[in-house]
Amino acid sequence: MAIRDDFPILQRNINGHPLVYLDNAATTQKPSVVIEAMNEYYTMNNANVHRAVHTLAGEATNGYEACRTTLKSWFNADRCIMTGGTTEAINLAAHAWGHSQLKGRAIILTEMEHHSDIVPWQMLAESFGNELRYIPIKDDLTLDMEAYEASIEGAGLVCVVHTSNVLGVRNPIEKIIEIAHKNGAKVLIDAAQGAPHCKIDLNELGADMMALSAHKMCGPTGIGCLLVNEETFQEMKPFMGGGDMIETVTLQKSTYQTNEHRFEAGTPKIAEAIGWDAALGYLGNLNLEEQHHRLLNIARYVADELRSMNMTVYGRHDGDDSAVVSFLHPTLHSEDLAHLLDARGVAVRTGHHCAQPLLHRLGINGTVRASFYIYNTMEEAELFIQHTKDILERFA
Amino acid sequence: MTYPKALIELIDDFQSIDDKMERLEYVFDLASEVNELPTSLWSEETRIHGCQSEAHVLLEIEDGKVSLKSGADSKLVQGLMGILTIAMDNLDTEEAKKITPDFAVDMGILNSLSPSRSNGFRNMFDKIMNELEEY
């Protein structure tokens, strides 16, 4: 049975054409097992987690905590704090760790970052006066590692995207961590795009923090996590106060839980965690490395075809890069092309992809982006290329 | 309300097209209906905010009639401007003020656009009407 048969939405027709879903870098579709797991929870197990002693509460707690256990094992991480997604995870890092640990120290970012890994640090710098330094991008669309090494002195944190959501470029994380640690700086990895495509071992990498989202890896929206090593976890101070994160509360003072719950105030994303756990179970049954190579070959085919249509393609599609193809036509506006592709059932992304500094560096305002995931086929890629050719003949 | 004759014909045209691709193609064709505002005259005053593409419109009143000049880097957006040009250009100002955005609903064109483009179309319309009210 083909992978795509597990995804009900892929059976849809859009505007009279079979859906070709190529917006996976924005969010992925969900297999039946995820939908069924969440449905089962709400149908049979719904309860709040952790405190109550009744059977349903126990089932809900086990389901929620099972996701944490799976994530810690999947990414070989000491600690896993559940969040609302990558953005919330990075904001948590900025508040819970950055506020107490980055006073007077510089923060290093890259020109390639998603807004979610820029804005929280700009906000922190506005409050505490931190210097922000950006690793520039070279003309070959890789990070300027010499400039990075030259800028590391006095830095307390290096924030780097594992894989660019615009270019698909996989950054030299290992080297970045090595240089940071040699100079006493910690490293936060934005793995929103990297985690869905390859297994990342946090402890083997030696990264201190890593943020990711469930919905980019077949899980539900609204949940993600911040993975943290033990040393960093012990340095973090509670950020949001409320129920579930406390040990005791008196009218004068509160004490906090010592485990990850101290950062998860309020009722957590229970159904979403159960859905994410099911997604990880689903992905765990696939050979992700084999899928990565298959999808990269599709991306290379698409990039070559688009270039032959006089498109500018932004990306290199090297061995570790993700299957993302960003491109522009010299005359047909990116949004016009996307509208016309949608009329043929093809879903692609347009705009700045929440990476305006990167696009500014490239000297453009936006791109069309086709991004591929496990259920996409070469036949779909060929159909996308054929539709694009037809559209250019009629409209360009 | 009663629409100008050219607008009624346009509404009829759009209502007779079922295929989304053909509707978009028709909007593309209407890009040529605009009185072009040269890019050299694009400014913060002429910019239509809320459009994902670069879009500009200049409203002037000549002899009591509406004069619309516009331009966009997206042909689809310029086509939407073409629709507004057909709807409002050369109309007596008092007549133009009576036009409501309902004509776009009657046309069915908003269903063929993404929500962001629909908002952009509404922003275009509102900018013209707000400036018209100042006259």
Side-chain angles (χ1 to χ4, degrees), chain B residues 77-110:
Chain B
V77 172
Q78 190 158 315
L80 296 174
M81 290 168 161
I83 292 172
L84 287 174
T85 304
I86 291 170
M88 302 175 85
D89 190 56
N90 213 26
L91 219 58
D92 287 333
T93 49
E94 293 311 310
E95 283 300 304
K97 283 179 187 174
K98 290 179 193 163
I99 292 181
T100 68
D102 290 346
F103 76 85
V105 178
D106 293 342
M107 213 175 261
I109 184 64
L110 298 183

mmCIF file of all heavy atoms in Angstrom, chain B residues 77-110:
data_model
loop_
_atom_site.group_PDB
_atom_site.id
_atom_site.type_symbol
_atom_site.label_atom_id
_atom_site.label_comp_id
_atom_site.label_asym_id
_atom_site.label_seq_id
_atom_site.Cartn_x
_atom_site.Cartn_y
_atom_site.Cartn_z
ATOM 1 N N VAL B 77 -3.649 41.357 -9.869
ATOM 2 C CA VAL B 77 -4.065 42.528 -9.089
ATOM 3 C C VAL B 77 -4.430 43.666 -10.034
ATOM 4 O O VAL B 77 -5.426 44.363 -9.826
ATOM 5 C CB VAL B 77 -2.944 42.952 -8.112
ATOM 6 C CG1 VAL B 77 -3.284 44.279 -7.444
ATOM 7 C CG2 VAL B 77 -2.742 41.880 -7.051
ATOM 8 N N GLN B 78 -3.635 43.820 -11.097
ATOM 9 C CA GLN B 78 -3.962 44.878 -12.055
ATOM 10 C C GLN B 78 -5.296 44.580 -12.742
ATOM 11 O O GLN B 78 -6.051 45.494 -13.077
ATOM 12 C CB GLN B 78 -2.836 45.032 -13.083
ATOM 13 C CG GLN B 78 -3.039 46.283 -13.932
ATOM 14 C CD GLN B 78 -1.765 46.778 -14.580
ATOM 15 O OE1 GLN B 78 -0.727 46.853 -13.936
ATOM 16 N NE2 GLN B 78 -1.845 47.097 -15.861
ATOM 17 N N GLY B 79 -5.602 43.297 -12.916
ATOM 18 C CA GLY B 79 -6.902 42.912 -13.474
ATOM 19 C C GLY B 79 -8.039 43.323 -12.557
ATOM 20 O O GLY B 79 -9.097 43.773 -13.011
ATOM 21 N N LEU B 80 -7.822 43.178 -11.251
ATOM 22 C CA LEU B 80 -8.841 43.616 -10.280
ATOM 23 C C LEU B 80 -9.010 45.132 -10.358
ATOM 24 O O LEU B 80 -10.119 45.662 -10.227
ATOM 25 C CB LEU B 80 -8.437 43.197 -8.868
ATOM 26 C CG LEU B 80 -8.354 41.685 -8.618
ATOM 27 C CD1 LEU B 80 -7.805 41.398 -7.223
ATOM 28 C CD2 LEU B 80 -9.716 41.027 -8.784
ATOM 29 N N MET B 81 -7.896 45.816 -10.576
ATOM 30 C CA MET B 81 -7.977 47.267 -10.766
ATOM 31 C C MET B 81 -8.738 47.594 -12.055
ATOM 32 O O MET B 81 -9.459 48.600 -12.115
ATOM 33 C CB MET B 81 -6.573 47.863 -10.860
ATOM 34 C CG MET B 81 -5.839 47.814 -9.540
ATOM 35 S SD MET B 81 -4.114 48.203 -9.779
ATOM 36 C CE MET B 81 -3.655 48.628 -8.115
ATOM 37 N N GLY B 82 -8.567 46.743 -13.043
ATOM 38 C CA GLY B 82 -9.305 46.923 -14.297
ATOM 39 C C GLY B 82 -10.801 46.847 -14.054
ATOM 40 O O GLY B 82 -11.583 47.608 -14.638
ATOM 41 N N ILE B 83 -11.202 45.926 -13.164
ATOM 42 C CA ILE B 83 -12.632 45.806 -12.827
ATOM 43 C C ILE B 83 -13.124 47.094 -12.164
ATOM 44 O O ILE B 83 -14.184 47.627 -12.508
ATOM 45 C CB ILE B 83 -12.855 44.590 -11.888
ATOM 46 C CG1 ILE B 83 -12.572 43.295 -12.655
ATOM 47 C CG2 ILE B 83 -14.262 44.603 -11.306
ATOM 48 C CD1 ILE B 83 -12.566 42.044 -11.793
ATOM 49 N N LEU B 84 -12.319 47.625 -11.230
ATOM 50 C CA LEU B 84 -12.704 48.876 -10.565
ATOM 51 C C LEU B 84 -12.725 50.039 -11.552
ATOM 52 O O LEU B 84 -13.552 50.948 -11.435
ATOM 53 C CB LEU B 84 -11.737 49.181 -9.418
ATOM 54 C CG LEU B 84 -11.891 48.300 -8.179
ATOM 55 C CD1 LEU B 84 -10.797 48.595 -7.165
ATOM 56 C CD2 LEU B 84 -13.255 48.520 -7.539
ATOM 57 N N THR B 85 -11.824 49.981 -12.527
ATOM 58 C CA THR B 85 -11.797 51.038 -13.546
ATOM 59 C C THR B 85 -13.090 51.008 -14.356
ATOM 60 O O THR B 85 -13.724 52.047 -14.586
ATOM 61 C CB THR B 85 -10.576 50.846 -14.477
ATOM 62 O OG1 THR B 85 -9.391 50.805 -13.677
ATOM 63 C CG2 THR B 85 -10.466 51.983 -15.482
ATOM 64 N N ILE B 86 -13.501 49.797 -14.763
ATOM 65 C CA ILE B 86 -14.756 49.670 -15.515
ATOM 66 C C ILE B 86 -15.932 50.139 -14.658
ATOM 67 O O ILE B 86 -16.856 50.807 -15.134
ATOM 68 C CB ILE B 86 -14.960 48.194 -15.968
ATOM 69 C CG1 ILE B 86 -13.911 47.846 -17.026
ATOM 70 C CG2 ILE B 86 -16.370 47.963 -16.481
ATOM 71 C CD1 ILE B 86 -13.851 46.369 -17.380
ATOM 72 N N ALA B 87 -15.861 49.824 -13.355
ATOM 73 C CA ALA B 87 -16.974 50.161 -12.464
ATOM 74 C C ALA B 87 -17.071 51.659 -12.188
ATOM 75 O O ALA B 87 -18.175 52.201 -12.059
ATOM 76 C CB ALA B 87 -16.828 49.402 -11.138
ATOM 77 N N MET B 88 -15.928 52.344 -12.123
ATOM 78 C CA MET B 88 -15.974 53.705 -11.566
ATOM 79 C C MET B 88 -15.393 54.801 -12.439
ATOM 80 O O MET B 88 -15.742 55.975 -12.247
ATOM 81 C CB MET B 88 -15.250 53.714 -10.215
ATOM 82 C CG MET B 88 -15.840 52.746 -9.222
ATOM 83 S SD MET B 88 -14.916 52.666 -7.699
ATOM 84 C CE MET B 88 -15.648 54.031 -6.837
ATOM 85 N N ASP B 89 -14.483 54.461 -13.340
ATOM 86 C CA ASP B 89 -13.799 55.527 -14.084
ATOM 87 C C ASP B 89 -14.804 56.300 -14.944
ATOM 88 O O ASP B 89 -15.690 55.708 -15.575
ATOM 89 C CB ASP B 89 -12.690 54.919 -14.952
ATOM 90 C CG ASP B 89 -11.799 55.989 -15.554
ATOM 91 O OD1 ASP B 89 -11.251 56.791 -14.780
ATOM 92 O OD2 ASP B 89 -11.675 56.016 -16.798
ATOM 93 N N ASN B 90 -14.623 57.603 -14.954
ATOM 94 C CA ASN B 90 -15.442 58.496 -15.779
ATOM 95 C C ASN B 90 -16.899 58.609 -15.301
ATOM 96 O O ASN B 90 -17.769 59.089 -16.030
ATOM 97 C CB ASN B 90 -15.405 58.036 -17.245
ATOM 98 C CG ASN B 90 -15.484 59.222 -18.186
ATOM 99 O OD1 ASN B 90 -15.097 60.331 -17.819
ATOM 100 N ND2 ASN B 90 -16.006 59.011 -19.387
ATOM 101 N N LEU B 91 -17.148 58.129 -14.091
ATOM 102 C CA LEU B 91 -18.496 58.231 -13.521
ATOM 103 C C LEU B 91 -18.618 59.564 -12.775
ATOM 104 O O LEU B 91 -17.634 60.062 -12.228
ATOM 105 C CB LEU B 91 -18.687 57.075 -12.527
ATOM 106 C CG LEU B 91 -20.032 56.361 -12.450
ATOM 107 C CD1 LEU B 91 -20.413 55.773 -13.807
ATOM 108 C CD2 LEU B 91 -19.956 55.260 -11.401
ATOM 109 N N ASP B 92 -19.835 60.168 -12.749
ATOM 110 C CA ASP B 92 -20.031 61.357 -11.921
ATOM 111 C C ASP B 92 -19.687 60.997 -10.484
ATOM 112 O O ASP B 92 -20.040 59.901 -10.017
ATOM 113 C CB ASP B 92 -21.506 61.800 -11.989
ATOM 114 C CG ASP B 92 -21.828 62.427 -13.339
ATOM 115 O OD1 ASP B 92 -20.892 62.970 -13.963
ATOM 116 O OD2 ASP B 92 -22.994 62.346 -13.760
ATOM 117 N N THR B 93 -19.047 61.916 -9.784
ATOM 118 C CA THR B 93 -18.587 61.583 -8.426
ATOM 119 C C THR B 93 -19.740 61.131 -7.530
ATOM 120 O O THR B 93 -19.603 60.196 -6.753
ATOM 121 C CB THR B 93 -17.882 62.791 -7.773
ATOM 122 O OG1 THR B 93 -18.706 63.938 -7.935
ATOM 123 C CG2 THR B 93 -16.535 63.052 -8.396
ATOM 124 N N GLU B 94 -20.884 61.781 -7.637
ATOM 125 C CA GLU B 94 -22.002 61.407 -6.760
ATOM 126 C C GLU B 94 -22.507 60.006 -7.075
ATOM 127 O O GLU B 94 -22.913 59.268 -6.183
ATOM 128 C CB GLU B 94 -23.141 62.439 -6.867
ATOM 129 C CG GLU B 94 -22.782 63.808 -6.306
ATOM 130 C CD GLU B 94 -22.164 63.724 -4.901
ATOM 131 O OE1 GLU B 94 -22.756 63.053 -4.036
ATOM 132 O OE2 GLU B 94 -21.080 64.312 -4.686
ATOM 133 N N GLU B 95 -22.478 59.641 -8.367
ATOM 134 C CA GLU B 95 -22.861 58.273 -8.769
ATOM 135 C C GLU B 95 -21.854 57.264 -8.236
ATOM 136 O O GLU B 95 -22.217 56.195 -7.741
ATOM 137 C CB GLU B 95 -22.927 58.167 -10.304
ATOM 138 C CG GLU B 95 -24.149 58.775 -10.938
ATOM 139 C CD GLU B 95 -25.431 58.119 -10.429
ATOM 140 O OE1 GLU B 95 -25.548 56.886 -10.550
ATOM 141 O OE2 GLU B 95 -26.291 58.833 -9.885
ATOM 142 N N ALA B 96 -20.576 57.610 -8.343
ATOM 143 C CA ALA B 96 -19.503 56.698 -7.905
ATOM 144 C C ALA B 96 -19.610 56.428 -6.411
ATOM 145 O O ALA B 96 -19.372 55.314 -5.949
ATOM 146 C CB ALA B 96 -18.145 57.294 -8.254
ATOM 147 N N LYS B 97 -19.990 57.468 -5.661
ATOM 148 C CA LYS B 97 -20.085 57.316 -4.202
ATOM 149 C C LYS B 97 -21.162 56.308 -3.802
ATOM 150 O O LYS B 97 -21.138 55.756 -2.705
ATOM 151 C CB LYS B 97 -20.393 58.670 -3.546
ATOM 152 C CG LYS B 97 -19.182 59.587 -3.461
ATOM 153 C CD LYS B 97 -19.578 60.919 -2.832
ATOM 154 C CE LYS B 97 -18.412 61.912 -2.900
ATOM 155 N NZ LYS B 97 -18.796 63.246 -2.435
ATOM 156 N N LYS B 98 -22.125 56.065 -4.698
ATOM 157 C CA LYS B 98 -23.224 55.143 -4.366
ATOM 158 C C LYS B 98 -22.827 53.675 -4.542
ATOM 159 O O LYS B 98 -23.536 52.775 -4.095
ATOM 160 C CB LYS B 98 -24.434 55.442 -5.274
ATOM 161 C CG LYS B 98 -25.115 56.762 -4.969
ATOM 162 C CD LYS B 98 -26.265 56.955 -5.945
ATOM 163 C CE LYS B 98 -26.783 58.382 -5.916
ATOM 164 N NZ LYS B 98 -27.601 58.693 -7.091
ATOM 165 N N ILE B 99 -21.717 53.450 -5.236
ATOM 166 C CA ILE B 99 -21.326 52.051 -5.505
ATOM 167 C C ILE B 99 -20.860 51.374 -4.218
ATOM 168 O O ILE B 99 -20.114 51.963 -3.426
ATOM 169 C CB ILE B 99 -20.207 51.985 -6.578
ATOM 170 C CG1 ILE B 99 -20.775 52.434 -7.926
ATOM 171 C CG2 ILE B 99 -19.621 50.577 -6.693
ATOM 172 C CD1 ILE B 99 -19.797 52.400 -9.064
ATOM 173 N N THR B 100 -21.326 50.175 -3.995
ATOM 174 C CA THR B 100 -20.893 49.401 -2.826
ATOM 175 C C THR B 100 -20.075 48.205 -3.314
ATOM 176 O O THR B 100 -20.178 47.818 -4.486
ATOM 177 C CB THR B 100 -22.105 48.874 -2.028
ATOM 178 O OG1 THR B 100 -22.768 47.888 -2.848
ATOM 179 C CG2 THR B 100 -23.074 49.983 -1.669
ATOM 180 N N PRO B 101 -19.275 47.612 -2.431
ATOM 181 C CA PRO B 101 -18.451 46.467 -2.866
ATOM 182 C C PRO B 101 -19.269 45.217 -3.177
ATOM 183 O O PRO B 101 -18.710 44.195 -3.580
ATOM 184 C CB PRO B 101 -17.499 46.244 -1.689
ATOM 185 C CG PRO B 101 -18.142 46.885 -0.524
ATOM 186 C CD PRO B 101 -18.997 47.998 -1.049
ATOM 187 N N ASP B 102 -20.601 45.322 -3.020
ATOM 188 C CA ASP B 102 -21.453 44.151 -3.294
ATOM 189 C C ASP B 102 -21.317 43.662 -4.736
ATOM 190 O O ASP B 102 -21.561 42.488 -5.025
ATOM 191 C CB ASP B 102 -22.930 44.490 -3.031
ATOM 192 C CG ASP B 102 -23.188 44.678 -1.549
ATOM 193 O OD1 ASP B 102 -22.307 44.284 -0.770
ATOM 194 O OD2 ASP B 102 -24.245 45.230 -1.201
ATOM 195 N N PHE B 103 -20.921 44.573 -5.650
ATOM 196 C CA PHE B 103 -20.838 44.148 -7.049
ATOM 197 C C PHE B 103 -19.814 43.023 -7.226
ATOM 198 O O PHE B 103 -19.972 42.160 -8.073
ATOM 199 C CB PHE B 103 -20.515 45.337 -7.970
ATOM 200 C CG PHE B 103 -19.090 45.795 -7.954
ATOM 201 C CD1 PHE B 103 -18.144 45.192 -8.767
ATOM 202 C CD2 PHE B 103 -18.691 46.828 -7.127
ATOM 203 C CE1 PHE B 103 -16.821 45.620 -8.754
ATOM 204 C CE2 PHE B 103 -17.380 47.258 -7.109
ATOM 205 C CZ PHE B 103 -16.441 46.652 -7.926
ATOM 206 N N ALA B 104 -18.767 43.029 -6.371
ATOM 207 C CA ALA B 104 -17.748 41.975 -6.464
ATOM 208 C C ALA B 104 -18.339 40.640 -6.016
ATOM 209 O O ALA B 104 -17.989 39.579 -6.549
ATOM 210 C CB ALA B 104 -16.537 42.336 -5.632
ATOM 211 N N VAL B 105 -19.250 40.721 -5.048
ATOM 212 C CA VAL B 105 -19.926 39.500 -4.587
ATOM 213 C C VAL B 105 -20.844 38.995 -5.705
ATOM 214 O O VAL B 105 -20.845 37.797 -6.029
ATOM 215 C CB VAL B 105 -20.737 39.779 -3.296
ATOM 216 C CG1 VAL B 105 -21.477 38.522 -2.841
ATOM 217 C CG2 VAL B 105 -19.812 40.286 -2.188
ATOM 218 N N ASP B 106 -21.617 39.912 -6.301
ATOM 219 C CA ASP B 106 -22.508 39.524 -7.398
ATOM 220 C C ASP B 106 -21.728 38.909 -8.559
ATOM 221 O O ASP B 106 -22.192 37.996 -9.233
ATOM 222 C CB ASP B 106 -23.280 40.752 -7.917
ATOM 223 C CG ASP B 106 -24.251 41.279 -6.862
ATOM 224 O OD1 ASP B 106 -24.542 40.511 -5.926
ATOM 225 O OD2 ASP B 106 -24.679 42.440 -6.971
ATOM 226 N N MET B 107 -20.547 39.433 -8.756
ATOM 227 C CA MET B 107 -19.692 38.947 -9.837
ATOM 228 C C MET B 107 -19.186 37.531 -9.544
ATOM 229 O O MET B 107 -18.897 36.758 -10.437
ATOM 230 C CB MET B 107 -18.501 39.904 -9.922
ATOM 231 C CG MET B 107 -17.935 40.128 -11.280
ATOM 232 S SD MET B 107 -16.661 41.404 -11.127
ATOM 233 C CE MET B 107 -17.562 42.816 -11.663
ATOM 234 N N GLY B 108 -19.044 37.223 -8.236
ATOM 235 C CA GLY B 108 -18.529 35.919 -7.834
ATOM 236 C C GLY B 108 -17.018 35.847 -7.906
ATOM 237 O O GLY B 108 -16.428 34.783 -7.695
ATOM 238 N N ILE B 109 -16.381 36.974 -8.169
ATOM 239 C CA ILE B 109 -14.935 36.947 -8.383
ATOM 240 C C ILE B 109 -14.166 36.670 -7.097
ATOM 241 O O ILE B 109 -13.114 36.039 -7.112
ATOM 242 C CB ILE B 109 -14.449 38.274 -9.036
ATOM 243 C CG1 ILE B 109 -12.944 38.214 -9.355
ATOM 244 C CG2 ILE B 109 -14.755 39.477 -8.172
ATOM 245 C CD1 ILE B 109 -12.603 37.164 -10.372
ATOM 246 N N LEU B 110 -14.730 37.112 -5.960
ATOM 247 C CA LEU B 110 -13.998 36.921 -4.711
ATOM 248 C C LEU B 110 -13.800 35.445 -4.382
ATOM 249 O O LEU B 110 -12.827 35.064 -3.740
ATOM 250 C CB LEU B 110 -14.721 37.634 -3.554
ATOM 251 C CG LEU B 110 -14.844 39.159 -3.704
ATOM 252 C CD1 LEU B 110 -15.493 39.763 -2.477
ATOM 253 C CD2 LEU B 110 -13.494 39.811 -3.959
#
